[in-house]
Amino acid sequence: MGIGVFFILLSFFVKDKTKKVEQDLEELSISLFQETHNLKRRLKIVEEELLVEPEFQVTTPSTNKQTVSNQKIQQVMQAVQQATQAPKVNKAMSNSKPIHQIIISQVLELHKQGLSIADISIRSNLTEEQVRQVIADGGR
């Protein structure tokens, strides 16, 4: 009987380890939920940025010579883009594949923002004719 009383008194002084485990599990589940929520929020932000990319331009104080050289560079770049897009038009017309709905919504959103058809074509990897067709169809 003395041993029984000893174990009963001992049980009051020994800490219950299950409560500690339950508390740790609860903290872990809360932190996991918070991390999942943060990842979903970041993913949503990234998806929005990919859908609507603003046109970034770095502006620096420039002299007249730099402005002239920048204009020449832009003219050359436009000529290269037009030259590379010409073969794409012929290929696109011969291989008219269906355009994915995400691309269509991106094209419509960029058009709403006021971007030119050439800019939309570059950003969406579609030909200018395909961009015109998507805008004319309204995404249908």
Side-chain angles (χ1 to χ4, degrees):
M1 190 153 155
I3 295 174
V5 172
F6 174 73
F7 281 120
I8 290 174
L9 291 175
L10 183 64
S11 69
F12 287 117
F13 295 109
V14 174
K15 293 185 179 181
D16 190 13
K17 293 184 180 184
T18 58
K19 288 183 182 179
K20 174 78 170 131
V21 170
E22 287 176 358
Q23 186 179 11
D24 289 345
L25 181 63
E26 186 176 336
E27 289 175 5
L28 180 65
S29 65
I30 290 172
S31 65
L32 181 65
F33 175 76
Q34 289 173 343
E35 287 296 320
T36 305
H37 177 71
N38 286 338
L39 286 174
K40 286 181 181 178
R41 185 176 46 105
R42 288 179 184 173
L43 181 62
K44 184 176 180 180
I45 291 170
V46 168
E47 287 174 346
E48 289 173 358
E49 287 177 359
L50 289 176
L51 182 62
V52 184
E53 291 181 359
E55 187 172 333
F56 292 108
Q57 291 184 349
V58 178
T59 57
T60 58
S62 61
T63 62
N64 193 20
K65 290 180 183 179
Q66 288 177 337
T67 305
V68 171
S69 66
N70 286 342
Q71 288 174 351
K72 289 180 182 179
I73 291 171
Q74 287 181 356
Q75 288 174 353
V76 170
M77 288 179 65
Q78 287 175 353
V80 169
Q81 288 174 354
Q82 289 174 354
T84 58
Q85 287 178 355
K88 287 182 183 177
V89 171
N90 294 336
K91 290 179 183 177
M93 289 184 180
S94 64
N95 297 333
S96 59
K97 294 181 182 177
I99 302 170
H100 198 276
Q101 187 62 36
I102 294 174
I103 302 294
I104 291 172
S105 62
Q106 180 186 23
V107 167
L108 294 174
E109 188 64 32
L110 292 172
H111 180 68
K112 286 180 187 176
Q113 292 179 3
L115 269 69
S116 68
I117 292 178
D119 288 338
I120 296 172
S121 173
I122 292 168
R123 289 179 183 218
S124 64
N125 291 330
L126 297 175
T127 64
E128 290 185 14
E129 183 60 35
Q130 288 174 321
V131 171
R132 284 189 193 97
Q133 184 180 4
V134 167
I135 292 171
D137 292 345
R140 288 180 252 137

